[in-house]
Amino acid sequence: MKFAHLILRNLFRNKTRAALTMLLMAAIFFFVATLLSILQNFDLASEMGEGYNRLAVQSAISLANFLPFSHEAKIQQIAGVVDTCKMQWIGAYYKERKNFFANFAVDEKKMRTVFPDYKVDEKQFADFVADRRGCIVGPELMKRFNWKVGDRITLTRTIFPFDPELTIRATYENPINTSALYFHMDYFQESIGNPSGADMIWVKVKDPNQMAAISQQIDAMFKNTDAPTETFTEKEFQRSFMAMMGNVKLLFTAVSTCAIFMVILLAAITMSMSARERVVEISVLKAIGFESRLVLTLMLIEFALLTLMGGALGVAGGKLLFQFVNMAKVTQGFLINFTLYPQAMAICIAAAALVGVLAGGFPAFQATRIRVVDGMRRVV
């Protein structure tokens, strides 16, 4: 503590340079913390909720291929299956293409059994079931478009040859998914000519320990049919959905690593300038009895403190920013309940301190190696 005043004086000896360095650190580590938090948001989305005992059954050929409804009846006969629910991705949007969100046709009679984590008011759900063109909407969509229960809305087609004309009959509560819309499977079938299939069949299993065995049994049952299946747990399905976008985790990790490497180089330039300017001062300190190791330690603490303050500023600013920015709206429901997570913030703050040590280590070591006589002779 007795050297704190000396460290602080040297830290802000060039206020403009110190401020710009901290702002650079803040910008870089805000960016890195955001990328890491996006990855963590994806992981949380696949792990939270009550989907620990749900299986997703899709076509082994492609998610775009329909599974026959006859598959559902056969799956229901498997021991350990509680119930099933057909679901179809619609892919429509509201008024403008930028107003895209997840929308599905669903078997309304089975929805509550298979998806109990979607909490809906009893009366509202009864109204939804009774109205063939009724729909259930997530709270984020209700807020984004200023919708109210009872409003009539029309979605615009992108895949199927009809524009769903719907009446909002209910809203749901879910810890993760707040930006989706669900309407009747019967209405969907009727509108496109009564097809005999859907792209997904969700299966609720009585015993989660039997999920692997039931998955294998389902796929074996349809292996030699015209519509073979591929069955996942809900967590695996979420991950496979992300995999369709490419290896996002690898990409984000690579970008974060490159950003940190870049900031090390930039910080090294700044700290080299600082160390070079202080050769005479370092020589004076050594001349009056300061050991080289002590001077080196003081310089490293100073450099680490500079980058640490910048990193802390970046993550704290990001945490505050995402309290006010609705990322679900910005990303069209892709990032739900997004914030900078503690783990990502801790990683960035630790990395910021490490950047100071790595970037400042070599310049500080070189400066403290100079002999006192040689340092006194130098003109900085």
Side-chain angles (χ1 to χ4, degrees):
M1 291 298 294
K2 63 182 179 179
F3 297 114
H5 181 69
L6 177 62
I7 293 171
L8 291 175
R9 285 293 298 270
N10 284 324
L11 184 63
F12 295 105
R13 62 188 292 145
N14 188 322
K15 294 181 175 59
T16 301
R17 185 165 62 202
L20 291 176
T21 302
M22 283 195 291
L23 287 175
L24 172 65
M25 297 295 128
I28 292 293
F29 284 105
F30 164 76
F31 174 69
V32 173
T34 300
L35 292 182
L36 294 178
S37 293
I38 289 173
L39 291 176
Q40 191 171 352
N41 185 268
F42 293 158
D43 290 338
L44 289 174
S46 65
E47 294 173 0
M48 293 182 65
E50 299 179 18
Y52 62 91
N53 63 342
R54 280 197 293 261
L55 295 172
V57 184
Q58 67 177 53
S59 169
I61 301 171
S62 167
L63 186 58
N65 286 52
F66 279 2
L67 292 176
F69 289 155
S70 58
H71 277 24
E72 182 181 23
K74 294 176 181 177
I75 291 172
Q76 289 174 346
Q77 297 173 8
I78 296 175
V81 171
V82 176
D83 209 345
T84 59
C85 180
K86 301 182 292 292
M87 187 177 291
Q88 174 65 50
W89 171 264
I90 303 301
Y93 60 88
Y94 179 63
K95 290 186 177 179
E96 302 178 66
R97 285 190 177 273
K98 67 178 183 179
N99 295 332
F100 177 82
F101 52 85
N103 45 89
F104 304 87
V106 66
D107 185 342
E108 71 284 354
K109 300 179 184 66
K110 305 289 189 68
M111 184 176 180
R112 299 192 92 179
T113 305
V114 178
F115 297 94
D117 45 328
Y118 285 70
K119 310 299 183 184
V120 186
D121 177 80
E122 291 289 342
K123 183 179 183 307
Q124 287 188 355
F125 191 80
D127 291 340
F128 162 66
V129 172
D131 185 353
R132 192 176 184 81
R133 296 194 179 189
C135 65
I136 295 179
V137 182
E140 194 279 323
L141 293 180
M142 298 290 283
K143 181 178 179 181
R144 190 196 310 179
F145 300 120
N146 294 315
W147 288 341
K148 302 181 298 296
V149 173
D151 285 354
R152 301 184 68 178
I153 61 173
T154 300
L155 305 183
T156 303
R157 73 189 76 180
T158 59
I159 302 173
F160 300 103
F162 84 111
D163 296 330
E165 297 179 1
L166 308 169
T167 302
I168 300 173
R169 294 300 183 189
T171 61
Y172 68 82
E173 295 293 334
N174 183 272
I176 295 298
N177 181 8
T178 61
S179 303
L181 179 150
Y182 301 89
F183 64 90
H184 287 227
M185 179 66 75
D186 291 345
Y187 173 47
F188 164 72
Q189 294 171 340
E190 178 186 85
S191 299
I192 66 170
N194 293 312
S196 58
D199 62 9
M200 292 288 302
I201 299 174
W202 286 91
V203 181
K204 185 175 180 179
V205 177
K206 183 177 182 179
D207 182 2
N209 295 323
Q210 296 297 316
M211 292 179 73
I214 292 175
S215 295
Q216 294 173 5
Q217 190 173 348
I218 291 171
D219 292 340
M221 181 182 295
F222 304 113
K223 183 176 180 179
N224 296 318
T225 68
D226 293 336
T229 63
E230 190 169 9
T231 305
F232 307 89
T233 64
E234 185 163 355
K235 184 175 181 179
E236 291 170 341
F237 176 75
Q238 296 283 0
R239 289 179 175 175
S240 69
F241 184 76
M242 290 303 305
M244 291 190 295
M245 301 169 55
N247 198 331
V248 177
K249 187 172 185 178
L250 177 61
L251 174 63
F252 281 14
T253 303
V255 171
S256 299
T257 303
C258 290
I260 293 175
F261 179 71
M262 179 181 69
V263 82
I264 289 175
L265 295 179
L266 293 173
I269 295 172
T270 301
M271 293 169 187
S272 295
M273 294 171 58
S274 177
R276 181 175 177 275
E277 291 172 355
R278 293 157 59 182
V279 168
V280 175
E281 295 177 21
I282 292 170
S283 299
V284 170
L285 289 174
K286 292 171 68 176
I288 62 176
F290 281 69
E291 294 183 358
S292 295
R293 286 181 298 178
L294 176 58
V295 177
L296 176 61
T297 301
L298 293 176
M299 292 183 69
L300 289 179
I301 292 174
E302 174 192 332
F303 294 152
L305 187 59
L306 179 65
T307 56
L308 181 61
M309 291 170 64
L313 178 64
V315 297
K319 184 72 173 179
L320 181 64
L321 175 67
F322 292 122
Q323 297 295 323
F324 298 97
V325 176
N326 186 347
M327 290 298 287
K329 180 177 181 180
V330 172
T331 61
Q332 302 296 318
F334 192 64
L335 295 176
I336 306 297
N337 299 325
F338 182 77
T339 185
L340 292 190
Y341 296 102
Q343 182 180 354
M345 295 173 68
I347 289 172
C348 287
I349 290 174
L354 185 61
V355 164
V357 174
L358 294 178
F362 183 72
F365 179 71
Q366 289 292 95
T368 55
R369 282 186 60 198
I370 296 177
R371 295 189 305 165
V372 173
V373 174
D374 294 335
M376 292 294 190
R377 290 173 179 170
R378 291 191 57 172
V379 178
V380 181

